[in-house]
Amino acid sequence: LTLQALWGLVTIVFIIGVSFAGLAPSVAAELRDDDGGLSLFGGGPALPVCDSAAHSECMAALRALAAGESCACISRRGWDTSTLLTVIADLSNAISSALVFRQLSAVAKYVCRATSALPMYVFYCVMGRTAWRIQTFVVVIFLCVQVSVYTFQRHRAA
């Protein structure tokens, strides 16, 4: 676990270093601000913020042209509370999964991940992250049933 985390960190630092050295400038472009300076938590895609002057100018130019195009923009740059909580949750999931799942077989890991699809889909729908679709729900239920049947058959065979 520690060696895996170390190699992950080394790989990320190497990729960012290569980008900042100019060998692959588009790889970590999100880590730079509009002036080209290093901005680890304030960077973002190369789009204007929606309430900026650049976006207003783009919208005015489109109105003048009356074209069917659009101006792309982002709502904010950098990290907010949701981003930080997402990173913490993802890291906690990775660490706890590694600690718990290293004791389990590959089949048990698959069963755990597959059966977690149902509560996660319901959670996403309740939180408004995705729209409820009966087709998706049936597929998720079917996946859980298949995994359950496989698990029961394997348990009986043992």
Side-chain angles (χ1 to χ4, degrees):
L1 175 66
T2 306
L3 189 58
Q4 182 181 4
L6 174 68
W7 280 115
L9 177 65
V10 167
T11 303
I12 294 299
V13 169
F14 176 74
I15 291 171
I16 292 171
V18 166
S19 174
F20 284 173
L23 300 174
S26 64
V27 172
E30 291 84 11
L31 298 176
R32 297 194 179 271
D33 59 12
D34 292 336
D35 300 325
L38 179 63
S39 179
L40 293 179
F41 300 108
L47 295 171
V49 178
C50 292
D51 60 353
S52 68
H55 183 67
S56 298
E57 290 172 11
C58 179
M59 293 299 290
L62 282 181
R63 275 189 233 105
L65 293 175
E69 298 179 24
S70 65
C71 295
C73 65
I74 55 176
S75 60
R76 69 175 74 89
R77 281 203 192 282
W79 289 35
D80 58 357
T81 306
S82 298
T83 306
L84 182 62
L85 291 175
T86 302
V87 169
I88 290 170
D90 189 50
L91 290 174
S92 300
N93 178 37
I95 291 169
S96 63
S97 295
L99 293 175
V100 171
F101 285 166
R102 72 178 178 178
Q103 304 297 325
L104 300 175
S105 68
V107 173
K109 292 177 192 176
Y110 172 73
V111 169
C112 290
R113 290 197 185 268
T115 55
S116 69
L118 179 62
M120 289 305 296
Y121 180 70
V122 171
F123 175 75
Y124 279 175
C125 291
V126 168
M127 297 304 292
R129 301 282 295 164
T130 189
W132 175 267
R133 292 183 48 221
I134 190 68
Q135 298 91 345
T136 306
F137 184 70
V138 168
V139 169
V140 170
I141 291 291
F142 185 68
L143 172 70
C144 290
V145 168
Q146 277 188 316
V147 170
S148 299
V149 168
Y150 172 78
T151 305
F152 288 130
Q153 287 176 350
R154 186 169 168 89
H155 179 68
R156 284 186 194 154

